[in-house]
Amino acid sequence: MSGRGPARRGVLTAAAAGVAGVAATAPAAGAARSGASVRAGRTGPWATSWATAQTAPTATDTVAASGLTDAVFTAAVRLSAGGRVRLRYGHAFGAVPVLIGPVTAGGRAVTFGGRRQAWLAAGASLTSDTVDGLRAPEGSALTVETRLPGPTGPLSFHRDTHASHSVDGVRTTSVFLLTGVEVNGAHGPVVAVLGDSLTEGVGTPDDADLRWPDQLARRLPGSAVANLGVSGNRLLLDDARFGPGGQARFDRDVLALPGLRTVLVQLGVNDLQQPPSRTDPSLVLDGYRQLVLRARNAGLRTVGSTITPFEGWTRWTPELDEVRQRINGAIRTGRLFDAVADFDAALRDPARPSRMRPAHDSGDGLHPNPSGHAALAGAVDRRHLL
């Protein structure tokens, strides 16, 4: 990975959960205010230790599309950095407010402005107070239980986190409404990864925490790494199933994170291979430039990844590979992003650069297996995240 220029800022973000019932106040736009601000100010800055990006449900997403009534959603999340904890909920695609709570995190009661329940406004976010008595170790697993009295209506969610959660004891790999666990103990790089299925973790086993952002966090002690990968996501175009493209979701998913220092952009392959395909390299490069501009305006450092080889995937063609190579050539010049993570070089087969090394291929030509994810994590230089 090559790079230039200093970084400017740093901080992290923390956790949430749910249990028994109590009275709630009426929904209001100001319901997201948290009494944690005073308490957290004495313990240090916040940064996002675990995160997920939301999409709207489609008709095939039966639980999210139908919503829940008097249900408990249990999320099992793997933190990167540790410390005191608070939770963040979001309802980016909601049409009505949702009552949240009671909630527990690590078995401890979670409050919102001192109350056990709070209203999450449609299209808004909701941050909890600091969870009393909870200090999560770096790299630890955290269980968050959230009661949703409902009826909620359709739920904003992340379809597949490649980890096991549950709704009333029934396993799911989806996460509903919970978008972040924030902590105040990060002492390494604070990074958000804006990506697609490679970042989300396709090609790795469920519950193994072998996605390349997980492996990157383990390589960088004290770091906070927010995984904002969405399977099928593009840089330029929105999709009913795969959500808003990277440009459309950048402000909500990236710029809204507290204490962020660096954003790593891993998008582009779906712009090439998903119809309607974008075969003009200048369109993709212009999309990157817009993200870089918005990141720099927010004081963030940018790292761009080259697009990985995908010969063997059902929609690969030599013509698309030529477009990929032209985009990668422009990224490698170092004049677009502040630094470059050469993911193409990390995965490609020297004997046939248009495809992955067989040892890194999950079997479909597009998604790397755990060793391939390890190679991606190894392609990110710590010096360019600080």
Short mmCIF file of all heavy atoms in Angstrom, two decimals, residues 279-340:
data_model
loop_
_atom_site.label_atom_id
_atom_site.label_comp_id
_atom_site.label_asym_id
_atom_site.label_seq_id
_atom_site.Cartn_x
_atom_site.Cartn_y
_atom_site.Cartn_z
N THR A 279 -18.89 0.95 -18.08
CA THR A 279 -17.67 0.56 -18.78
C THR A 279 -16.79 1.75 -19.14
O THR A 279 -15.77 1.58 -19.80
CB THR A 279 -18.02 -0.22 -20.06
OG1 THR A 279 -18.86 0.58 -20.89
CG2 THR A 279 -18.73 -1.51 -19.71
N ASP A 280 -17.17 2.95 -18.71
CA ASP A 280 -16.34 4.13 -18.92
C ASP A 280 -15.54 4.37 -17.63
O ASP A 280 -16.11 4.75 -16.60
CB ASP A 280 -17.22 5.34 -19.23
CG ASP A 280 -16.42 6.60 -19.51
OD1 ASP A 280 -15.19 6.61 -19.25
OD2 ASP A 280 -17.02 7.60 -19.96
N PRO A 281 -14.23 4.13 -17.63
CA PRO A 281 -13.44 4.30 -16.40
C PRO A 281 -13.57 5.69 -15.79
O PRO A 281 -13.51 5.83 -14.56
CB PRO A 281 -12.01 4.03 -16.87
CG PRO A 281 -12.13 3.24 -18.10
CD PRO A 281 -13.40 3.70 -18.76
N SER A 282 -13.77 6.71 -16.63
CA SER A 282 -13.83 8.08 -16.09
C SER A 282 -15.01 8.27 -15.16
O SER A 282 -14.93 9.06 -14.20
CB SER A 282 -13.88 9.09 -17.23
OG SER A 282 -15.09 8.99 -17.95
N LEU A 283 -16.12 7.54 -15.38
CA LEU A 283 -17.28 7.67 -14.51
C LEU A 283 -16.97 7.15 -13.11
O LEU A 283 -17.33 7.76 -12.10
CB LEU A 283 -18.48 6.92 -15.08
CG LEU A 283 -19.06 7.44 -16.40
CD1 LEU A 283 -20.19 6.55 -16.87
CD2 LEU A 283 -19.55 8.88 -16.22
N VAL A 284 -16.29 6.00 -13.05
CA VAL A 284 -15.92 5.43 -11.76
C VAL A 284 -14.89 6.31 -11.06
O VAL A 284 -15.01 6.58 -9.85
CB VAL A 284 -15.38 3.99 -11.95
CG1 VAL A 284 -14.91 3.41 -10.62
CG2 VAL A 284 -16.47 3.09 -12.56
N LEU A 285 -13.91 6.79 -11.78
CA LEU A 285 -12.89 7.64 -11.18
C LEU A 285 -13.48 8.95 -10.68
O LEU A 285 -13.10 9.45 -9.61
CB LEU A 285 -11.77 7.90 -12.19
CG LEU A 285 -10.97 6.65 -12.59
CD1 LEU A 285 -10.01 6.98 -13.73
CD2 LEU A 285 -10.20 6.09 -11.40
N ASP A 286 -14.45 9.50 -11.41
CA ASP A 286 -15.11 10.71 -10.94
C ASP A 286 -15.89 10.44 -9.66
O ASP A 286 -15.96 11.30 -8.76
CB ASP A 286 -16.05 11.26 -12.01
CG ASP A 286 -15.32 11.95 -13.15
OD1 ASP A 286 -14.12 12.27 -12.98
OD2 ASP A 286 -15.94 12.19 -14.20
N GLY A 287 -16.48 9.25 -9.55
CA GLY A 287 -17.17 8.88 -8.32
C GLY A 287 -16.23 8.81 -7.14
O GLY A 287 -16.56 9.30 -6.04
N TYR A 288 -15.06 8.24 -7.34
CA TYR A 288 -14.04 8.22 -6.28
C TYR A 288 -13.66 9.65 -5.88
O TYR A 288 -13.52 9.96 -4.69
CB TYR A 288 -12.79 7.50 -6.74
CG TYR A 288 -12.90 6.01 -6.93
CD1 TYR A 288 -12.20 5.38 -7.97
CD2 TYR A 288 -13.66 5.21 -6.09
CE1 TYR A 288 -12.26 4.02 -8.16
CE2 TYR A 288 -13.73 3.83 -6.27
CZ TYR A 288 -13.03 3.24 -7.31
OH TYR A 288 -13.09 1.89 -7.50
N ARG A 289 -13.46 10.50 -6.86
CA ARG A 289 -13.03 11.87 -6.57
C ARG A 289 -14.05 12.60 -5.69
O ARG A 289 -13.68 13.37 -4.81
CB ARG A 289 -12.80 12.65 -7.87
CG ARG A 289 -11.58 12.20 -8.64
CD ARG A 289 -11.27 13.11 -9.82
NE ARG A 289 -10.16 12.58 -10.58
CZ ARG A 289 -10.28 11.82 -11.68
NH1 ARG A 289 -11.50 11.52 -12.15
NH2 ARG A 289 -9.21 11.36 -12.30
N GLN A 290 -15.31 12.36 -5.94
CA GLN A 290 -16.34 13.00 -5.12
C GLN A 290 -16.28 12.51 -3.67
O GLN A 290 -16.42 13.30 -2.73
CB GLN A 290 -17.73 12.74 -5.71
CG GLN A 290 -18.02 13.57 -6.93
CD GLN A 290 -18.00 15.07 -6.62
OE1 GLN A 290 -18.64 15.55 -5.70
NE2 GLN A 290 -17.21 15.82 -7.40
N LEU A 291 -16.05 11.22 -3.47
CA LEU A 291 -15.92 10.70 -2.10
C LEU A 291 -14.70 11.30 -1.41
O LEU A 291 -14.76 11.67 -0.24
CB LEU A 291 -15.82 9.19 -2.11
CG LEU A 291 -17.04 8.39 -2.57
CD1 LEU A 291 -16.81 6.90 -2.33
CD2 LEU A 291 -18.30 8.85 -1.88
N VAL A 292 -13.61 11.40 -2.14
CA VAL A 292 -12.38 11.97 -1.57
C VAL A 292 -12.61 13.43 -1.17
O VAL A 292 -12.20 13.87 -0.09
CB VAL A 292 -11.21 11.85 -2.56
CG1 VAL A 292 -10.01 12.65 -2.09
CG2 VAL A 292 -10.83 10.38 -2.75
N LEU A 293 -13.27 14.17 -2.03
CA LEU A 293 -13.54 15.58 -1.74
C LEU A 293 -14.38 15.71 -0.47
O LEU A 293 -14.09 16.54 0.41
CB LEU A 293 -14.25 16.23 -2.93
CG LEU A 293 -14.68 17.69 -2.75
CD1 LEU A 293 -13.46 18.58 -2.54
CD2 LEU A 293 -15.47 18.15 -3.97
N ARG A 294 -15.44 14.91 -0.36
CA ARG A 294 -16.32 15.00 0.80
C ARG A 294 -15.59 14.55 2.07
O ARG A 294 -15.79 15.13 3.15
CB ARG A 294 -17.58 14.18 0.56
CG ARG A 294 -18.50 14.86 -0.46
CD ARG A 294 -19.36 13.89 -1.19
NE ARG A 294 -20.38 13.30 -0.35
CZ ARG A 294 -21.19 12.31 -0.77
NH1 ARG A 294 -21.06 11.82 -1.98
NH2 ARG A 294 -22.11 11.84 0.05
N ALA A 295 -14.76 13.54 1.94
CA ALA A 295 -13.99 13.09 3.10
C ALA A 295 -13.02 14.17 3.56
O ALA A 295 -12.91 14.47 4.77
CB ALA A 295 -13.23 11.81 2.76
N ARG A 296 -12.30 14.77 2.64
CA ARG A 296 -11.33 15.81 3.02
C ARG A 296 -12.03 17.02 3.61
O ARG A 296 -11.49 17.66 4.52
CB ARG A 296 -10.50 16.19 1.80
CG ARG A 296 -9.51 15.10 1.41
CD ARG A 296 -8.77 15.44 0.14
NE ARG A 296 -7.77 14.42 -0.16
CZ ARG A 296 -7.15 14.31 -1.34
NH1 ARG A 296 -7.43 15.17 -2.32
NH2 ARG A 296 -6.26 13.35 -1.54
N ASN A 297 -13.21 17.36 3.10
CA ASN A 297 -13.95 18.47 3.68
C ASN A 297 -14.30 18.21 5.14
O ASN A 297 -14.47 19.14 5.92
CB ASN A 297 -15.23 18.73 2.88
CG ASN A 297 -14.98 19.39 1.55
OD1 ASN A 297 -13.91 19.94 1.31
ND2 ASN A 297 -15.97 19.34 0.66
N ALA A 298 -14.42 16.93 5.50
CA ALA A 298 -14.72 16.54 6.88
C ALA A 298 -13.45 16.28 7.69
O ALA A 298 -13.52 15.82 8.83
CB ALA A 298 -15.61 15.30 6.89
N GLY A 299 -12.28 16.53 7.09
CA GLY A 299 -11.02 16.34 7.80
C GLY A 299 -10.56 14.90 7.86
O GLY A 299 -9.74 14.55 8.71
N LEU A 300 -11.04 14.06 6.94
CA LEU A 300 -10.70 12.64 6.97
C LEU A 300 -9.63 12.31 5.93
O LEU A 300 -9.57 12.91 4.85
CB LEU A 300 -11.93 11.78 6.68
CG LEU A 300 -13.12 11.93 7.63
CD1 LEU A 300 -14.24 11.00 7.19
CD2 LEU A 300 -12.70 11.66 9.06
N ARG A 301 -8.84 11.32 6.25
CA ARG A 301 -7.87 10.76 5.33
C ARG A 301 -8.56 9.68 4.50
O ARG A 301 -9.48 9.01 4.98
CB ARG A 301 -6.71 10.15 6.13
CG ARG A 301 -5.59 9.58 5.29
CD ARG A 301 -4.43 9.20 6.21
NE ARG A 301 -3.35 8.59 5.46
CZ ARG A 301 -2.50 9.25 4.70
NH1 ARG A 301 -2.62 10.55 4.57
NH2 ARG A 301 -1.53 8.62 4.06
N THR A 302 -8.17 9.51 3.24
CA THR A 302 -8.79 8.52 2.37
C THR A 302 -7.76 7.50 1.89
O THR A 302 -6.64 7.85 1.53
CB THR A 302 -9.44 9.18 1.13
OG1 THR A 302 -8.44 9.84 0.36
CG2 THR A 302 -10.52 10.17 1.55
N VAL A 303 -8.17 6.24 1.91
CA VAL A 303 -7.39 5.15 1.34
C VAL A 303 -8.28 4.46 0.32
O VAL A 303 -9.42 4.09 0.62
CB VAL A 303 -6.95 4.14 2.42
CG1 VAL A 303 -6.18 2.98 1.79
CG2 VAL A 303 -6.11 4.82 3.49
N GLY A 304 -7.78 4.30 -0.89
CA GLY A 304 -8.55 3.63 -1.93
C GLY A 304 -7.96 2.28 -2.26
O GLY A 304 -6.73 2.13 -2.32
N SER A 305 -8.81 1.29 -2.47
CA SER A 305 -8.32 -0.03 -2.86
C SER A 305 -8.49 -0.22 -4.36
O SER A 305 -9.46 0.27 -4.96
CB SER A 305 -9.08 -1.14 -2.11
OG SER A 305 -10.38 -1.31 -2.63
N THR A 306 -7.54 -0.91 -4.95
CA THR A 306 -7.70 -1.32 -6.34
C THR A 306 -8.78 -2.39 -6.43
O THR A 306 -9.12 -3.06 -5.44
CB THR A 306 -6.38 -1.86 -6.91
OG1 THR A 306 -5.85 -2.84 -6.01
CG2 THR A 306 -5.37 -0.74 -7.10
N ILE A 307 -9.37 -2.55 -7.61
CA ILE A 307 -10.45 -3.51 -7.83
C ILE A 307 -9.85 -4.89 -8.07
O ILE A 307 -8.96 -5.06 -8.89
CB ILE A 307 -11.34 -3.09 -9.01
CG1 ILE A 307 -11.95 -1.70 -8.74
CG2 ILE A 307 -12.43 -4.11 -9.26
CD1 ILE A 307 -12.74 -1.14 -9.91
N THR A 308 -10.35 -5.86 -7.34
CA THR A 308 -9.77 -7.21 -7.38
C THR A 308 -10.17 -7.97 -8.64
O THR A 308 -11.20 -7.70 -9.25
CB THR A 308 -10.21 -8.00 -6.14
OG1 THR A 308 -11.64 -7.98 -6.04
CG2 THR A 308 -9.62 -7.39 -4.87
N PRO A 309 -9.37 -8.94 -9.06
CA PRO A 309 -9.68 -9.74 -10.25
C PRO A 309 -10.91 -10.60 -10.03
O PRO A 309 -11.18 -11.04 -8.91
CB PRO A 309 -8.42 -10.59 -10.43
CG PRO A 309 -7.78 -10.64 -9.09
CD PRO A 309 -8.10 -9.34 -8.42
N PHE A 310 -11.66 -10.84 -11.13
CA PHE A 310 -12.87 -11.66 -10.97
C PHE A 310 -13.14 -12.57 -12.16
O PHE A 310 -14.27 -12.99 -12.39
CB PHE A 310 -14.08 -10.77 -10.65
CG PHE A 310 -14.48 -9.79 -11.74
CD1 PHE A 310 -15.55 -10.06 -12.59
CD2 PHE A 310 -13.82 -8.58 -11.87
CE1 PHE A 310 -15.94 -9.15 -13.56
CE2 PHE A 310 -14.20 -7.66 -12.84
CZ PHE A 310 -15.28 -7.95 -13.68
N GLU A 311 -12.10 -12.95 -12.90
CA GLU A 311 -12.30 -13.96 -13.94
C GLU A 311 -12.76 -15.26 -13.29
O GLU A 311 -12.23 -15.69 -12.27
CB GLU A 311 -11.02 -14.22 -14.73
CG GLU A 311 -11.23 -15.22 -15.86
CD GLU A 311 -9.99 -15.50 -16.68
OE1 GLU A 311 -8.95 -14.85 -16.42
OE2 GLU A 311 -10.06 -16.37 -17.57
N GLY A 312 -13.77 -15.88 -13.88
CA GLY A 312 -14.39 -17.06 -13.29
C GLY A 312 -15.78 -16.75 -12.78
O GLY A 312 -16.63 -17.64 -12.65
N TRP A 313 -16.04 -15.47 -12.46
CA TRP A 313 -17.37 -15.02 -12.08
C TRP A 313 -18.26 -15.01 -13.32
O TRP A 313 -17.78 -14.78 -14.43
CB TRP A 313 -17.28 -13.64 -11.46
CG TRP A 313 -18.58 -13.04 -11.01
CD1 TRP A 313 -19.22 -11.97 -11.56
CD2 TRP A 313 -19.39 -13.45 -9.92
NE1 TRP A 313 -20.38 -11.68 -10.88
CE2 TRP A 313 -20.51 -12.59 -9.86
CE3 TRP A 313 -19.28 -14.47 -8.97
CZ2 TRP A 313 -21.51 -12.71 -8.90
CZ3 TRP A 313 -20.28 -14.60 -8.01
CH2 TRP A 313 -21.37 -13.73 -7.98
N THR A 314 -19.54 -15.23 -13.11
CA THR A 314 -20.44 -15.46 -14.23
C THR A 314 -20.49 -14.31 -15.23
O THR A 314 -20.70 -14.55 -16.42
CB THR A 314 -21.86 -15.75 -13.69
OG1 THR A 314 -22.75 -15.98 -14.78
CG2 THR A 314 -22.40 -14.59 -12.86
N ARG A 315 -20.27 -13.06 -14.80
CA ARG A 315 -20.40 -11.94 -15.74
C ARG A 315 -19.05 -11.36 -16.14
O ARG A 315 -18.99 -10.26 -16.72
CB ARG A 315 -21.30 -10.85 -15.12
CG ARG A 315 -22.77 -11.25 -15.10
CD ARG A 315 -23.67 -10.09 -14.71
NE ARG A 315 -23.59 -9.78 -13.30
CZ ARG A 315 -24.37 -10.33 -12.37
NH1 ARG A 315 -25.28 -11.22 -12.71
NH2 ARG A 315 -24.24 -9.98 -11.10
N TRP A 316 -17.95 -12.04 -15.86
CA TRP A 316 -16.64 -11.55 -16.27
C TRP A 316 -16.50 -11.61 -17.78
O TRP A 316 -16.95 -12.56 -18.44
CB TRP A 316 -15.53 -12.38 -15.63
CG TRP A 316 -14.15 -11.90 -16.00
CD1 TRP A 316 -13.42 -10.95 -15.38
CD2 TRP A 316 -13.35 -12.35 -17.11
NE1 TRP A 316 -12.20 -10.78 -15.99
CE2 TRP A 316 -12.13 -11.62 -17.07
CE3 TRP A 316 -13.55 -13.30 -18.12
CZ2 TRP A 316 -11.13 -11.81 -18.01
CZ3 TRP A 316 -12.55 -13.49 -19.06
CH2 TRP A 316 -11.34 -12.74 -19.00
N THR A 317 -15.86 -10.59 -18.36
CA THR A 317 -15.47 -10.61 -19.77
C THR A 317 -14.10 -9.97 -19.89
O THR A 317 -13.70 -9.16 -19.03
CB THR A 317 -16.45 -9.81 -20.66
OG1 THR A 317 -16.37 -8.42 -20.32
CG2 THR A 317 -17.89 -10.31 -20.50
N PRO A 318 -13.35 -10.27 -20.95
CA PRO A 318 -12.06 -9.60 -21.14
C PRO A 318 -12.20 -8.09 -21.25
O PRO A 318 -11.33 -7.34 -20.80
CB PRO A 318 -11.54 -10.21 -22.46
CG PRO A 318 -12.24 -11.53 -22.57
CD PRO A 318 -13.59 -11.33 -21.96
N GLU A 319 -13.32 -7.63 -21.83
CA GLU A 319 -13.53 -6.19 -21.97
C GLU A 319 -13.69 -5.52 -20.60
O GLU A 319 -13.13 -4.45 -20.35
CB GLU A 319 -14.77 -5.93 -22.83
CG GLU A 319 -14.63 -6.33 -24.29
CD GLU A 319 -14.71 -7.84 -24.51
OE1 GLU A 319 -15.25 -8.56 -23.61
OE2 GLU A 319 -14.24 -8.31 -25.57
N LEU A 320 -14.43 -6.16 -19.69
CA LEU A 320 -14.58 -5.61 -18.34
C LEU A 320 -13.26 -5.63 -17.59
O LEU A 320 -12.96 -4.72 -16.82
CB LEU A 320 -15.64 -6.38 -17.56
CG LEU A 320 -17.09 -6.20 -18.00
CD1 LEU A 320 -18.02 -7.03 -17.11
CD2 LEU A 320 -17.50 -4.74 -17.98
N ASP A 321 -12.45 -6.64 -17.84
CA ASP A 321 -11.15 -6.69 -17.17
C ASP A 321 -10.25 -5.57 -17.65
O ASP A 321 -9.47 -5.02 -16.86
CB ASP A 321 -10.48 -8.04 -17.40
CG ASP A 321 -9.37 -8.28 -16.40
OD1 ASP A 321 -9.68 -8.43 -15.19
OD2 ASP A 321 -8.19 -8.29 -16.80
N GLU A 322 -10.36 -5.21 -18.90
CA GLU A 322 -9.58 -4.08 -19.41
C GLU A 322 -10.00 -2.79 -18.71
O GLU A 322 -9.15 -1.95 -18.35
CB GLU A 322 -9.79 -3.95 -20.92
CG GLU A 322 -9.18 -2.70 -21.55
CD GLU A 322 -7.66 -2.63 -21.39
OE1 GLU A 322 -7.01 -3.69 -21.23
OE2 GLU A 322 -7.12 -1.50 -21.43
N VAL A 323 -11.30 -2.60 -18.50
CA VAL A 323 -11.78 -1.42 -17.77
C VAL A 323 -11.23 -1.44 -16.34
O VAL A 323 -10.78 -0.41 -15.82
CB VAL A 323 -13.32 -1.37 -17.77
CG1 VAL A 323 -13.82 -0.19 -16.93
CG2 VAL A 323 -13.86 -1.27 -19.19
N ARG A 324 -11.29 -2.60 -15.70
CA ARG A 324 -10.76 -2.73 -14.34
C ARG A 324 -9.29 -2.33 -14.28
O ARG A 324 -8.86 -1.60 -13.38
CB ARG A 324 -10.94 -4.18 -13.87
CG ARG A 324 -10.46 -4.44 -12.45
CD ARG A 324 -10.63 -5.91 -12.08
NE ARG A 324 -9.67 -6.76 -12.76
CZ ARG A 324 -8.46 -7.06 -12.31
NH1 ARG A 324 -8.05 -6.57 -11.14
NH2 ARG A 324 -7.65 -7.84 -13.00
N GLN A 325 -8.51 -2.80 -15.22
CA GLN A 325 -7.08 -2.49 -15.23
C GLN A 325 -6.83 -0.99 -15.42
O GLN A 325 -5.91 -0.42 -14.80
CB GLN A 325 -6.38 -3.28 -16.33
CG GLN A 325 -6.41 -4.79 -16.16
CD GLN A 325 -5.47 -5.28 -15.06
OE1 GLN A 325 -4.93 -4.50 -14.28
NE2 GLN A 325 -5.27 -6.59 -14.99
N ARG A 326 -7.65 -0.36 -16.23
CA ARG A 326 -7.47 1.08 -16.44
C ARG A 326 -7.81 1.87 -15.17
O ARG A 326 -7.12 2.82 -14.82
CB ARG A 326 -8.34 1.54 -17.62
CG ARG A 326 -7.84 1.03 -18.98
CD ARG A 326 -8.83 1.30 -20.08
NE ARG A 326 -9.03 2.73 -20.30
CZ ARG A 326 -9.96 3.23 -21.12
NH1 ARG A 326 -10.78 2.41 -21.78
NH2 ARG A 326 -10.08 4.54 -21.28
N ILE A 327 -8.86 1.46 -14.48
CA ILE A 327 -9.21 2.11 -13.22
C ILE A 327 -8.10 1.89 -12.20
O ILE A 327 -7.67 2.83 -11.52
CB ILE A 327 -10.56 1.57 -12.69
CG1 ILE A 327 -11.70 1.99 -13.61
CG2 ILE A 327 -10.81 2.06 -11.26
CD1 ILE A 327 -13.02 1.30 -13.31
N ASN A 328 -7.61 0.66 -12.10
CA ASN A 328 -6.55 0.37 -11.14
C ASN A 328 -5.28 1.16 -11.44
O ASN A 328 -4.58 1.62 -10.53
CB ASN A 328 -6.24 -1.13 -11.13
CG ASN A 328 -7.29 -1.93 -10.42
OD1 ASN A 328 -8.17 -1.38 -9.75
ND2 ASN A 328 -7.22 -3.25 -10.53
N GLY A 329 -4.98 1.32 -12.72
CA GLY A 329 -3.80 2.10 -13.08
C GLY A 329 -3.91 3.54 -12.59
O GLY A 329 -2.92 4.11 -12.10
N ALA A 330 -5.11 4.10 -12.70
CA ALA A 330 -5.31 5.48 -12.23
C ALA A 330 -5.23 5.55 -10.71
O ALA A 330 -4.68 6.52 -10.14
CB ALA A 330 -6.66 6.00 -12.71
N ILE A 331 -5.76 4.55 -10.00
CA ILE A 331 -5.69 4.53 -8.53
C ILE A 331 -4.24 4.44 -8.07
O ILE A 331 -3.83 5.12 -7.12
CB ILE A 331 -6.51 3.35 -7.97
CG1 ILE A 331 -8.00 3.58 -8.23
CG2 ILE A 331 -6.24 3.16 -6.48
CD1 ILE A 331 -8.86 2.38 -7.86
N ARG A 332 -3.44 3.62 -8.76
CA ARG A 332 -2.06 3.39 -8.32
C ARG A 332 -1.16 4.59 -8.50
O ARG A 332 -0.07 4.64 -7.93
CB ARG A 332 -1.46 2.20 -9.09
CG ARG A 332 -2.02 0.85 -8.67
CD ARG A 332 -1.22 -0.28 -9.29
NE ARG A 332 -1.79 -1.56 -8.94
CZ ARG A 332 -2.50 -2.33 -9.78
NH1 ARG A 332 -2.73 -1.91 -11.02
NH2 ARG A 332 -2.98 -3.49 -9.37
N THR A 333 -1.57 5.58 -9.29
CA THR A 333 -0.72 6.75 -9.47
C THR A 333 -0.52 7.51 -8.17
O THR A 333 0.44 8.28 -8.03
CB THR A 333 -1.32 7.71 -10.51
OG1 THR A 333 -2.57 8.22 -10.02
CG2 THR A 333 -1.51 7.02 -11.85
N GLY A 334 -1.44 7.33 -7.19
CA GLY A 334 -1.33 8.02 -5.93
C GLY A 334 -1.84 9.44 -5.95
O GLY A 334 -1.72 10.17 -4.96
N ARG A 335 -2.46 9.87 -7.05
CA ARG A 335 -2.94 11.25 -7.14
C ARG A 335 -4.43 11.37 -6.84
O ARG A 335 -4.97 12.46 -6.88
CB ARG A 335 -2.64 11.80 -8.53
CG ARG A 335 -1.16 11.97 -8.81
CD ARG A 335 -0.92 12.78 -10.08
NE ARG A 335 -1.39 12.07 -11.26
CZ ARG A 335 -0.62 11.24 -11.97
NH1 ARG A 335 0.63 11.01 -11.61
NH2 ARG A 335 -1.11 10.64 -13.05
N LEU A 336 -5.09 10.25 -6.57
CA LEU A 336 -6.53 10.27 -6.33
C LEU A 336 -6.83 10.21 -4.83
O LEU A 336 -7.42 11.13 -4.27
CB LEU A 336 -7.18 9.10 -7.06
CG LEU A 336 -8.71 9.00 -7.00
CD1 LEU A 336 -9.35 10.27 -7.52
CD2 LEU A 336 -9.18 7.80 -7.80
N PHE A 337 -6.41 9.14 -4.18
CA PHE A 337 -6.57 8.97 -2.75
C PHE A 337 -5.29 9.40 -2.02
O PHE A 337 -4.24 9.53 -2.63
CB PHE A 337 -6.87 7.50 -2.42
CG PHE A 337 -8.16 7.00 -3.00
CD1 PHE A 337 -8.17 6.30 -4.20
CD2 PHE A 337 -9.37 7.20 -2.34
CE1 PHE A 337 -9.36 5.82 -4.74
CE2 PHE A 337 -10.56 6.72 -2.86
CZ PHE A 337 -10.56 6.03 -4.07
N ASP A 338 -5.39 9.57 -0.71
CA ASP A 338 -4.20 9.88 0.08
C ASP A 338 -3.26 8.68 0.16
O ASP A 338 -2.06 8.84 0.35
CB ASP A 338 -4.59 10.29 1.51
CG ASP A 338 -5.40 11.58 1.53
OD1 ASP A 338 -4.97 12.54 0.86
OD2 ASP A 338 -6.44 11.62 2.19
N ALA A 339 -3.81 7.47 0.05
CA ALA A 339 -3.01 6.25 0.08
C ALA A 339 -3.75 5.17 -0.70
O ALA A 339 -4.95 5.30 -0.96
CB ALA A 339 -2.76 5.79 1.52
N VAL A 340 -3.04 4.13 -1.05
CA VAL A 340 -3.60 3.05 -1.86
C VAL A 340 -3.34 1.71 -1.19
O VAL A 340 -2.22 1.43 -0.75
CB VAL A 340 -2.99 3.03 -3.28
CG1 VAL A 340 -3.52 1.86 -4.09
CG2 VAL A 340 -3.28 4.35 -4.00
#
